[in-house]
C-alpha cells in the first residue's frame, strides 16, 4: 500500500543519512585527530536525537564522551544524555549522569556548567518528589539561568515558585521568592501564577496570598 511504500522510502533515506555520518566518522579516524572524531560522532548522536531514536542517541553520545577531554566538554555531552533521560523519565540514568557531572565539576568544571547542572538536578528532584531540594536548586538558578536547552526562563520561574510554595518555610519564601527581582519580573506573564484575581494588591502581597492558599493545606 501507499503507507508501506512511503515508510520504505523514509527508512531508505534514513539509512543513507546514517551511512553518510558513519563515513564521516571513519574519515575523521583515518585523516584527522580526536577533536574531529568527537565532532563527527556528536553529529551522528544529534541526528539520532533529533529523530527521537533515544537509545541510539544515548549510545552515540556515550561514544563521543569516551573520546572527549576536558571537564566542560564532557559535561556538555552528559547534558545531552540528561535531556534524553528526562524525556524518557529514566530516573537512574538522570541520577547517574548528574553524579558524573558533579565529579567532573570538582575536577575542573566552570561556573556556567555548574549553574546549568543545578537546573538538571532541580528537575531530577522534582521527579523524585524531593520538592524542598528542587526549590532550593531552582531558586538558586534564577539569577544565573542559561540552561535554555531544557526550558525557558519563565518555565524555570514557574517551577521555582511552585516547588517553593509546597516545600519551603514562609520566611524563606519571603526572602528568596517574594522579593526576588528576577521572579517578580516574570511572574505576571505566567499562567496560574499571574495575579488576575488580585488587581488591587501589590505583587509581593499577591504572592503571599497565593502561597498561603497553596501551601497551608500541604504543610503540617
Amino acid at each position: 500500500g501507499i503507507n508501506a511504500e512511503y515508510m520504505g522510502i523514509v527508512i531508505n533515506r534514513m539509512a543513507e543519512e546514517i551511512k553518510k555520518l558513519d563515513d564521516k566518522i571513519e574519515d575523521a579516524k583515518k585523516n584527522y585527530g580526536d577533536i574531529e572524531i568527537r565532532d563527527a560522532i556528536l553529529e551522528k548522536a544529534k541526528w539520532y536525537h533529533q529523530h527521537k531514536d533515544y537509545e541510539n542517541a544515548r549510545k552515540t553520545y556515550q561514544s563521543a564522551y569516551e573520546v572527549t577531554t576536558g571537564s566542560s566538554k564532557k559535561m556538555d555531552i552528559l547534558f545531552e544524555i540528561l535531556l534524553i533521560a528526562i524525556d524518557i523519565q529514566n530516573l537512574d540514568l538522570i541520577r547517574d549522569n548528574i553524579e558524573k557531572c558533579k565529579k567532573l565539576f570538582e575536577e575542573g568544571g566552570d561556573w556556567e556548567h555548574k549553574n546549568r547542572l543545578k537546573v538538571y538536578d532541580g528537575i531530577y528532584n522534582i521527579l523524585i518528589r524531593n520538592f524542598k531540594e528542587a526549590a532550593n536548586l531552582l531558586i538558586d538558578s534564577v539569577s544565573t539561568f542559561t540552561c535554555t536547552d531544557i526550558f525557558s526562563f519563565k518555565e524555570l520561574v514557574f517551577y521555582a515558585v511552585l516547588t517553593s510554595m509546597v516545600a519551603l518555610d514562609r520566611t524563606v519564601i519571603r526572602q528568596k521568592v517574594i522579593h526576588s527581582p528576577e521572579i517578580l519580573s516574570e511572574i505576571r506573564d505566567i499562567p496560574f501564577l499571574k495575579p488576575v484575581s488580585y488587581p488591587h494588591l501589590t505583587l509581593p502581597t499577591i504572592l503571599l496570598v497565593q502561597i498561603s492558599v497553596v501551601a497551608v493545606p500541604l504543610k503540617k
Side-chain angles (χ1 to χ4, degrees), residues 2-220:
I2 295 173
N3 287 341
E5 184 179 344
Y6 174 75
M7 285 301 298
I9 293 169
V10 170
I11 290 168
N12 286 337
R13 285 181 179 173
M14 291 178 74
E16 289 172 4
E17 287 297 319
I18 292 169
K19 185 178 184 306
K20 286 179 185 176
L21 292 165
D22 284 335
D23 289 344
K24 198 168 184 178
I25 293 168
E26 288 304 311
D27 181 57
K29 287 179 178 178
K30 290 177 182 177
N31 301 304
Y32 300 99
D34 289 343
I35 293 173
E36 290 80 9
I37 294 169
R38 180 202 66 203
D39 289 347
I41 297 171
L42 277 175
E43 188 177 347
K44 184 180 180 183
K46 289 175 181 177
W47 187 90
Y48 279 131
H49 199 167
Q50 288 167 358
H51 289 80
K52 300 188 184 300
D53 186 344
Y54 292 132
E55 184 57 23
N56 277 320
R58 183 191 64 78
K59 289 178 180 177
T60 312
Y61 279 128
Q62 189 61 43
S63 297
Y65 178 85
E66 289 165 6
V67 297
T68 298
T69 57
S71 296
S72 295
K73 292 291 186 184
K74 285 187 172 183
M75 287 178 75
D76 285 335
I77 294 173
L78 294 181
F79 288 151
E80 297 291 345
I81 295 174
L82 279 166
L83 284 174
I84 292 170
I86 290 167
D87 272 346
I88 63 177
Q89 293 197 19
N90 184 327
L91 296 180
D92 290 339
L93 188 60
I94 299 170
R95 183 197 62 234
D96 292 347
N97 283 282
I98 284 173
E99 288 305 313
K100 285 182 185 177
C101 283
K102 287 178 178 178
K103 288 178 183 176
L104 285 168
F105 177 75
E106 290 171 3
E107 293 171 8
D110 57 49
W111 285 101
E112 180 189 351
H113 285 78
K114 184 178 184 181
N115 291 331
R116 289 175 65 191
L117 179 58
K118 282 183 186 178
V119 177
Y120 287 102
D121 203 0
I123 292 168
Y124 172 66
N125 278 280
I126 290 174
L127 292 172
I128 63 172
R129 299 180 180 275
N130 185 353
F131 297 123
K132 185 174 183 178
E133 182 67 12
N136 286 321
L137 287 163
L138 295 177
I139 288 170
D140 283 349
S141 301
V142 166
S143 62
T144 57
F145 179 71
T146 58
C147 198
T148 53
D149 49 343
I150 193 158
F151 50 38
S152 68
F153 183 63
K154 277 187 174 61
E155 288 169 317
L156 171 69
V157 169
F158 173 78
Y159 288 115
V161 172
L162 195 65
T163 52
S164 70
M165 282 180 176
V166 299
L168 299 183
D169 295 331
R170 290 190 184 190
T171 53
V172 178
I173 294 171
R174 185 187 296 273
Q175 293 168 0
K176 294 189 176 182
V177 177
I178 291 172
H179 295 296
S180 164
E182 293 88 359
I183 288 175
L184 295 179
S185 70
E186 294 291 337
I187 204 165
R188 289 186 184 276
D189 299 323
I190 299 175
F192 309 112
L193 298 180
K194 60 185 178 181
V196 292
S197 302
Y198 318 104
H200 59 291
L201 300 179
T202 63
L203 193 51
T205 309
I206 289 159
L207 278 177
L208 276 174
V209 172
Q210 292 178 323
I211 288 163
S212 297
V213 170
V214 175
V216 170
L218 297 173
K219 293 178 76 68
K220 295 181 181 178

